[in-house]
Amino acid sequence: MNRNPMRGWTKAGLVLLLGSVLTAGGVAAPAAAGGQDRGHHRGWDRDRGWDRDRGWDHHRGWDRGWDRDRDRGGEVDYVALGDSYASGFGGGPLLDACGRTAEGYPALLDALRRVDREADVTCAGATASSTPPGAPAGPVDLPEQIAALRADGSLNRGTDLVTVTIGGNDVQFGAVVQACIGPVLPETCAPAIASATAYAQTTLTAQLQESLRQIRELAPRAELVLVGYPYLFEAGTAGPLSPEAVALFSQGTDALNAVLAGQVQRGETFVDVTDEFAGHGVGSADPWIIALGSEFQLHPNATGYREGYLAAITADVHLGHGKGHCRGRR
């Protein structure tokens, strides 16, 4: 499968723009391994599946909601890996060639009291496997992100928290959107989603298992948090995709999220963000996903990263007493 259409875009036309659904375009320099500045559980339960009753109190605010569970603990050493949905692409001005922004959830978590982001190697365009062209011609993929952390020692036994969002580029969501676009459901839509789902359940799963094994080996005391993807289009609305295509596309998102959730082990957490983004997809009255035609199309805006990603993570990730004792969904 050719990943290049997911790498970049021009503003010359909709078809070309669709190629960048889950990635930033252009050339990405290697991700810097070091950080730029040095709730109760929901998540995935293997025995019960999705537990959507989080009890998140939005009136308390993110900082208070997070610190409520951590007041008796020490500073949390944090490392972030993943693609454009982790880097914050679309949230504001780009800070580097990897599409990181100050509104990406690694930066938002770092701004919380007691969270120390030791490293942020997220990079727009990243895939779970090493796929040419590598950096600097292309983005820094997950294996290279892990290698960089290994080389400089940023991911180690002292790491408390590791977040990963990856997989959207592997299943080529851009090509899937292109196959599903139209006022009525195209015949190409369902086969494209089926193909992407099969790839996620086989090839992507194997790639994730190896990368996550390496992360666990490097940081055995850390809570590993896999963060999923939102629904991009609002259910029941007509727009670039018909309501029928939107429903199928959301089913494909569910399948990808299920693959990510299926990788978590005891003491780890899968963060589902679909509840937070409900009512805020493309076509809604208050979209948190940037519409087609923008340089940052189909990525969260600043509100999406704060009200969606940050809210979900701080509701789900529960830290215990002191350094090295993070507690995830068991």
Side-chain angles (χ1 to χ4, degrees), residues 30-34 79 81 100 119-121 140-155 214 218:
V79 173
L81 304 92
R100 302 186 192 112
D120 180 355
V121 291
V140 183
D141 294 319
L142 185 60
E144 286 70 48
Q145 293 177 17
I146 296 171
L149 294 170
R150 184 193 300 270
D152 76 356
S154 296
L155 188 63
Q214 294 180 35
L218 291 170

Side-chain angles (χ1 to χ4, degrees), residues 33 60 74 103 117 121 138 153 156 166 176 189 213 224 227 240 246 320 325:
R60 294 180 63 91
E103 295 297 326
R117 182 181 49 177
V121 291
N156 54 59
I166 201 75
V176 176
C189 184
R213 182 195 66 78
L224 179 57
V227 186
V246 169
H325 294 280

Side-chain angles (χ1 to χ4, degrees), residues 9-238:
W9 65 85
T10 69
K11 295 183 179 178
L14 180 60
V15 172
L16 290 178
L17 282 165
L18 287 170
S20 64
V21 170
L22 289 182
T23 71
V27 175
Q36 292 178 349
D37 35 30
R38 316 188 292 176
H40 79 274
H41 296 304
R42 188 229 328 166
W44 179 262
D45 186 313
R46 285 183 177 274
D47 298 320
R48 295 188 297 170
W50 306 95
D51 176 7
R52 298 185 182 274
D53 184 16
R54 293 191 301 277
W56 170 251
D57 186 349
H58 289 279
H59 298 293
R60 294 180 63 91
W62 301 295
D63 204 12
R64 292 180 63 191
W66 178 274
D67 284 337
R68 179 178 66 243
D69 293 322
R70 303 177 46 226
D71 283 341
R72 291 167 291 184
E75 189 174 75
V76 176
D77 291 339
Y78 167 46
V79 173
L81 304 92
D83 61 19
S84 57
Y85 274 64
S87 71
F89 190 78
L94 302 183
L95 302 177
D96 53 38
C98 267
R100 302 186 192 112
T101 73
E103 295 297 326
Y105 70 73
L108 296 176
L109 287 171
D110 185 53
L112 298 181
R113 203 154 45 98
R114 298 180 183 169
V115 177
D116 182 9
R117 182 181 49 177
E118 294 292 327
D120 180 355
V121 291
T122 60
C123 195
T127 54
S129 63
S130 299
T131 306
V140 183
D141 294 319
L142 185 60
E144 286 70 48
Q145 293 177 17
I146 296 171
L149 294 170
R150 184 193 300 270
D152 76 356
S154 296
L155 188 63
N156 54 59
R157 292 186 62 84
T159 303
D160 298 307
L161 174 66
V162 177
T163 60
V164 182
T165 297
I166 201 75
N169 296 317
D170 298 82
V171 299
Q172 298 193 5
F173 260 138
V176 176
V177 172
Q178 186 173 343
C180 292
I181 197 167
V184 297
L185 179 66
E187 294 181 356
T188 53
C189 184
I193 291 171
S195 177
T197 298
Y199 186 89
Q201 294 171 342
T202 55
T203 304
L204 175 60
T205 295
Q207 294 164 346
L208 279 173
Q209 289 172 346
E210 173 56 24
S211 289
L212 296 179
R213 182 195 66 78
Q214 294 180 35
I215 293 172
R216 294 180 183 112
E217 180 182 81
L218 291 170
R221 300 174 65 202
E223 179 181 6
L224 179 57
V225 177
L226 296 178
V227 186
Y229 294 94
Y231 299 142
L232 301 182
F233 302 95
E234 192 63 24
T237 64

